[in-house]
Amino acid sequence: MVTSTSAERVADQPGDSADGSPTATSSPAASPEEISAPPLSGLTVAIDPGHNGGNGAHPDTISADVPDGRGGTKACNTVGTSSDDGYPEHRFTWETAQEVQTALSDAGAEVVMSRSSDDSAGPCVDERGRFADAADALVSLHGNGTEDRSARGFHVITAPAGGRAGDDTARTSEALGRALAEALEATGFDRNPAYDDLVVRTDLATLNNAAVPAVMLEAGEMRNAEDAELLESRQGQEHIAEAVVTALTAVFGDAAP
Ligand SMILES: [Zn+2]
């Protein structure tokens, strides 16, 4: 956007080159900051928009047992939750994933997605972890469905080592999870006080089946009216995307420790 605006301004001022003032070619060279690579160039990020709009119409598919990543099995997928005004979790995760994809691309990252539409069924939770083998990190997007409508706020989940991830990967997942929570707070999202700063669970097959650093974001409580309004808003979704970029940059970016 900025580039095209500047270009238009230049084009609107024909006197720039005709009146002897410096032209673009004689301008000072761009500073190193301006020509350095974007912060996430070289990184491939797997984005998993939770659930899918066709899951409800395919109960046999989504109830099938699949590997849970720790030696057991789990149902392929679920329909997910929904806000009281009828905004389904699968649409929230799908729409937010588009914002995340754009923000990551702008930051120089490659993006792979676990699903390519919001009106089919699956993939199953094991595949939602395994598809990230093609990436350097996995971010799984969800909205939570606590029955208590006064509950609100986000929480971030990782899995400990013992699934497909080893100790180093699990540690990086934790670092990424904490960075994501901090970045979300910085954009104005509130933590759900019912949860730890970072929730560590062994029962989430998406995370267990990931061999790369992986986090799951429960971005808010969809049955809470205030959270639902935030999650349904373009601004709320953009803030999530911004936070994902900030967190990945903190852990994987050029300036990361
Ligand atoms: Zn979910």
Side-chain angles (χ1 to χ4, degrees), residues 36 38 123 128 213:
S36 65
R128 288 175 189 263

Side-chain angles (χ1 to χ4, degrees), residues 14-58:
D16 269 4
S17 52
D19 66 3
S21 64
T23 63
T25 49
S26 63
S27 296
S31 68
E33 286 79 11
E34 285 167 333
I35 58 172
S36 65
L40 295 180
S41 63
L43 195 76
T44 301
V45 183
I47 298 298
D48 171 40
H51 314 279
N52 200 333
N55 281 2
H58 297 85

Side-chain angles (χ1 to χ4, degrees), residues 58-250:
H58 297 85
D60 291 347
T61 302
I62 68 163
S63 65
D65 282 344
V66 298
D68 72 355
R70 286 182 192 268
T73 60
K74 190 126 187 189
C76 162
N77 211 192
T78 61
V79 294
T81 187
S82 178
S83 71
D84 283 351
D85 62 358
Y87 185 66
E89 181 186 358
H90 67 78
R91 190 174 307 148
F92 161 68
T93 66
W94 177 249
E95 291 178 348
T96 303
Q98 313 309 310
E99 299 293 340
V100 173
Q101 182 172 36
T102 299
L104 284 170
S105 297
D106 288 349
E110 297 288 327
V111 177
V112 291
M113 299 270 255
S114 63
R115 57 183 170 104
S116 56
S117 78
D118 194 34
D119 55 9
S120 54
C124 298
V125 279
D126 56 333
E127 181 57 27
R128 288 175 189 263
R130 287 181 175 271
F131 90 104
D133 286 1
D136 300 300
L138 167 66
V139 178
S140 182
L141 301 169
H142 288 259
N144 209 32
T146 299
E147 296 280 354
D148 176 359
R149 282 162 171 73
S150 70
R152 60 174 300 267
F154 73 84
H155 66 281
V156 180
I157 311 166
T158 65
R164 292 186 66 226
D167 288 335
D168 286 352
T169 300
R171 268 193 291 276
T172 306
S173 296
E174 282 199 23
L176 183 59
R178 291 184 192 284
L180 179 57
E182 282 172 22
L184 269 172
E185 275 196 310
T187 73
F189 275 61
D190 293 323
R191 293 176 192 256
N192 185 332
Y195 293 91
D196 291 338
D197 281 355
L198 183 71
V199 180
V200 180
R201 286 173 59 169
T202 57
D203 63 325
L204 295 172
T206 296
L207 296 177
N208 291 341
N209 277 288
V212 296
V215 299
M216 182 176 288
L217 171 63
E218 295 283 4
E221 293 293 340
M222 297 201 69
R223 291 171 177 171
N224 173 275
E226 196 179 341
D227 269 11
E229 188 179 349
L230 177 66
L231 300 180
E232 289 176 41
S233 72
R234 170 66 76 92
Q235 189 185 46
Q237 296 174 1
E238 286 175 349
H239 281 167
I240 292 168
E242 199 180 298
V244 168
V245 170
T246 300
L248 286 163
T249 303

